[in-house]
Amino acid sequence: MDSGLQHDHERRAGGYPPREALADAWDEHSRYVGFAAGLFAFGIVVGVLLMLAGYNLLEIIEEMVGEPLFPDIGSESNVDLARFLLVNNTRAFLLSIVGALSLGLLTAWAMVFNGVIVGNVGAYVTRDVGLDYILVGLLPHGIFELPALFIAAGVGFRLLYRFGQRIRGTRDAVFTRPYLYRTGLLVLAGWLLLVVAALVEAFVTPVLLETLFAERLEGMSTAA
């Protein structure tokens, strides 16, 4: 019995309260979510080390693809910015789930790669502007966005494990109604965190940065 949840055959979605189902989903996926967070943290370390070695990954990638990684959205409204962020983060969210079909390699790569980019860019911004700037710029929306992406990756890794159990014969079916129900609730909860993250990043973060660091940024602009 894996994580006390092999009672799927005794469950029926209609009699499965959402709160209980969500709690069961978290119990089932929490260690996989933690594994995803660990991969992301490893990526951050790699990104910082690359910065210390003199590699600016954004510049390198932009040179390789021949265009900016991020479009100019400075003239867009906050609503458009939030929509842009949500669409892009939703793609990464779904990719982390369906990455199970690549034996988890795509999911693992997404976690490590995003960690490397965050670590590298964060290290450069910290050097040039300050640690407090990067914390204010990342934490307000990051406390919603990162758990959402870790949840998606956790679902992908857990799905891969269930496939492995089915192949080994230790599980009767990969998909059951209770599993789909509770996991669907967890995925929905994760995606709603992305919605909150996009709104915070579009409406709150710019105000905080402008209010707290206007003089510092103006001084850097004048010096440049």
Side-chain angles (χ1 to χ4, degrees), residues 144-220:
F144 301 105
E145 181 179 314
L146 291 180
L149 296 178
F150 297 156
I151 286 173
V155 170
F157 287 134
R158 175 61 183 170
L159 180 58
L160 176 64
Y161 186 75
R162 287 177 69 98
F163 274 117
Q165 288 180 310
R166 182 68 184 92
I167 292 172
R168 294 195 306 270
T170 58
R171 178 178 290 279
D172 294 334
V174 175
F175 300 109
T176 64
R177 284 185 64 192
Y179 166 76
L180 291 175
Y181 174 61
R182 63 175 176 262
T183 303
L185 288 176
L186 183 63
V187 169
L188 176 60
W191 184 78
L192 290 176
L193 287 176
L194 282 186
V195 175
V196 175
L199 293 174
V200 171
E201 188 171 3
F203 288 90
V204 177
T205 301
V207 174
L208 289 175
L209 293 177
E210 183 176 351
T211 301
L212 297 175
F213 302 102
E215 293 184 4
R216 187 185 306 179
L217 294 175
E218 183 179 349
M220 291 180 58

Side-chain angles (χ1 to χ4, degrees), residues 24 41 106 112 143 169 174 196 213:
D24 284 348
L106 192 57
V112 174
I143 58 176
V174 175
V196 175
F213 302 102

Side-chain angles (χ1 to χ4, degrees), residues 121-157:
V121 173
Y124 272 103
V125 174
T126 297
R127 184 197 66 181
D128 296 338
V129 188
L131 179 61
D132 51 351
Y133 182 90
I134 196 67
L135 291 178
V136 172
L138 291 181
L139 285 182
H141 71 272
I143 58 176
F144 301 105
E145 181 179 314
L146 291 180
L149 296 178
F150 297 156
I151 286 173
V155 170
F157 287 134

Side-chain angles (χ1 to χ4, degrees), residues 60-82:
I60 293 174
I61 295 174
E62 287 179 354
E63 289 179 3
M64 291 176 60
V65 301
E67 60 183 22
L69 289 181
F70 304 103
D72 182 10
I73 52 180
S75 60
E76 300 290 340
S77 69
N78 289 347
V79 173
D80 290 334
L81 175 57

